Amino acid sequence: MKITEYITALRENIGKAREQGKTVVLIPTMGYLHYGHLSMAEAARKQDEDHEEIYIVMSIFVNPLQFGPQEDFDKYPRNLGRDSSLAQEAGVDILFVPAIEEMYPERENLTQVSVSGLTNILCGLQRPGHFQGVTTVVAKLFNIVLPDVAYFGQKDYQQFVVIKQMVKDLNIPVKLIAAPTVREADGLAMSSRNSYLEAKERKQAPILYHSLLEGASLIASGEKRPEVVREKIRQKINKETSGKIEYVEILKADNLGPVDTLQGQVVIALAVHFGPTRLIDNILVEV
Ligand code: PAF
């Protein structure tokens, strides 16, 4: 596996892979890799088994644009040594680890990409500017790598829908794949931020997923009123954890539109704070 900090070197390597007829796959991350990230490389590698030769580019960049001033940019966990061993084992071909200056040489004149509508709900409400930071860096990564395929985790469901909208609106020729959320044995969605949790919070955190599952089974038993399902989830979290709910929402899965009566495919999404740690999770439900 190669590692580079530089756009020119990255492009040279990708160019060679392309000359060999390989399909270029991009997996953008902020590092501190866990199996949720590595599963995307594994899923991409499966394409090789289908006789499609692939070239996997993984980026590791803690993107300052997507963190608010009071957020955890400085303390976001970083461990490049460990990440590069894990990426290599997972079959990544090249790891792109740019410095901030490489990505944003002219921060004061920066062109930004923003998707309207989808970004002023759910996480966008409490994190103004967050999605603009995400779409700006992802658009840059798409332009730098020109991937045929790009993977994003379903855990960040709103992020995936926002990026899908950007790709459509800007006619970016990339196939997007949402990788299923990978969970710890007790159900907690894997996240680099889980490392912030104190022991007591870590014990309670899987209840978020269990509350989503209870919501889904209430729907399966015939409940059609989203407010009843939302309330059931809220009650469980409030009763069984010390977490502070930011939101519990049920929306149309394809475009995050509002749902009056549960039907079709919906996403149940939540954000809960355990002390300074903000956790998100979601599940898709077919009604
Ligand atoms: O999901 C993430 O880790 C980040 O938001 C992403 C997509 C790598 C952009 O910085």
Coordinates of all heavy atoms in Angstrom, one line a residue, residues 70-72 75 193 196-198 201 272-279:
Q70 N -17.4 25.2 18.5 CA -17.4 24.5 19.9 C -17.2 23.0 19.8 O -17.4 22.3 20.7 CB -18.7 24.8 20.6 CG -19.1 26.3 20.7 CD -18.0 27.2 21.3 OE1 -17.3 26.7 22.2 NE2 -17.9 28.4 20.8
E71 N -17.0 22.5 18.6 CA -17.0 21.1 18.4 C -15.6 20.5 18.6 O -14.6 21.2 19.0 CB -17.6 20.7 17.1 CG -19.1 21.0 17.0 CD -19.8 20.6 15.8 OE1 -19.1 20.1 14.8 OE2 -21.0 20.8 15.7
D72 N -15.5 19.2 18.3 CA -14.3 18.4 18.8 C -13.2 18.3 17.7 O -12.4 17.3 17.7 CB -14.8 17.0 19.2 CG -15.6 16.3 18.1 OD1 -16.0 17.0 17.1 OD2 -15.7 15.1 18.2
K75 N -9.8 17.6 19.4 CA -9.6 16.3 20.2 C -10.1 15.1 19.4 O -10.1 14.0 19.9 CB -10.3 16.4 21.5 CG -11.8 16.4 21.6 CD -12.2 16.1 23.1 CE -13.6 15.6 23.1 NZ -14.3 15.2 24.1
R193 N -16.1 8.3 17.4 CA -16.4 9.1 18.6 C -16.8 8.2 19.8 O -16.9 8.7 20.9 CB -17.5 10.1 18.3 CG -17.0 11.2 17.4 CD -18.1 12.3 17.3 NE -17.5 13.5 16.7 CZ -17.7 13.9 15.4 NH1 -18.5 13.1 14.6 NH2 -17.2 15.0 15.0
Y196 N -14.8 8.4 23.0 CA -15.0 9.5 24.0 C -15.8 9.0 25.2 O -15.8 9.6 26.3 CB -15.7 10.7 23.5 CG -15.1 11.4 22.3 CD1 -15.9 12.1 21.4 CD2 -13.7 11.4 22.1 CE1 -15.4 12.8 20.4 CE2 -13.2 12.1 21.0 CZ -14.1 12.8 20.1 OH -13.6 13.5 19.1
L197 N -16.6 7.9 25.0 CA -17.6 7.6 26.1 C -17.0 7.1 27.3 O -16.0 6.3 27.3 CB -18.5 6.5 25.5 CG -19.4 6.9 24.4 CD1 -20.1 5.6 23.8 CD2 -20.5 7.9 24.8
E198 N -17.5 7.5 28.5 CA -17.1 7.0 29.7 C -17.7 5.6 29.9 O -18.7 5.3 29.3 CB -17.5 7.9 30.9 CG -16.6 9.2 30.8 CD -17.0 10.2 31.8 OE1 -17.9 9.9 32.7 OE2 -16.4 11.3 31.8
E201 N -21.5 5.5 30.3 CA -22.1 5.9 29.0 C -22.0 4.8 28.0 O -23.0 4.5 27.2 CB -21.5 7.2 28.5 CG -21.6 8.4 29.5 CD -20.7 9.5 29.1 OE1 -19.7 9.3 28.4 OE2 -21.0 10.6 29.6
V272 N -28.3 11.7 20.1 CA -28.4 11.7 21.6 C -27.0 12.1 22.1 O -26.0 11.7 21.6 CB -28.8 10.4 22.2 CG1 -28.8 10.4 23.7 CG2 -30.2 10.0 21.6
H273 N -27.0 13.0 23.1 CA -25.8 13.4 23.8 C -25.5 12.7 25.1 O -26.4 12.6 25.9 CB -25.8 14.9 24.1 CG -25.9 15.8 22.9 ND1 -24.9 16.5 22.4 CD2 -26.9 16.0 22.0 CE1 -25.2 17.2 21.3 NE2 -26.5 16.9 21.1
F274 N -24.4 12.1 25.2 CA -23.9 11.5 26.5 C -22.8 12.4 26.9 O -21.7 12.4 26.4 CB -23.4 10.1 26.3 CG -24.5 9.1 26.1 CD1 -25.0 8.8 24.8 CD2 -25.1 8.5 27.2 CE1 -26.0 7.9 24.6 CE2 -26.1 7.6 27.0 CZ -26.6 7.3 25.7
G275 N -23.1 13.3 27.9 CA -22.1 14.3 28.2 C -21.7 15.1 27.0 O -22.6 15.5 26.2
P276 N -20.4 15.3 26.7 CA -20.0 16.0 25.6 C -20.0 15.2 24.3 O -19.7 15.7 23.2 CB -18.6 16.4 25.9 CG -18.1 15.4 26.9 CD -19.3 14.9 27.6
T277 N -20.3 13.9 24.4 CA -20.3 13.0 23.2 C -21.7 13.0 22.5 O -22.6 12.6 23.2 CB -19.8 11.6 23.6 OG1 -18.7 11.7 24.4 CG2 -19.6 10.8 22.4
R278 N -21.6 13.3 21.2 CA -22.9 13.2 20.5 C -22.9 12.0 19.6 O -22.0 11.8 18.8 CB -23.0 14.5 19.6 CG -24.2 14.6 18.8 CD -24.1 16.0 18.1 NE -25.3 16.2 17.2 CZ -25.4 15.7 16.0 NH1 -24.4 15.0 15.5 NH2 -26.5 16.0 15.3
L279 N -23.9 11.1 19.8 CA -24.0 9.9 19.0 C -25.2 10.0 18.1 O -26.2 10.5 18.5 CB -24.2 8.7 20.0 CG -23.0 8.4 21.0 CD1 -23.3 7.1 21.7 CD2 -21.7 8.2 20.3

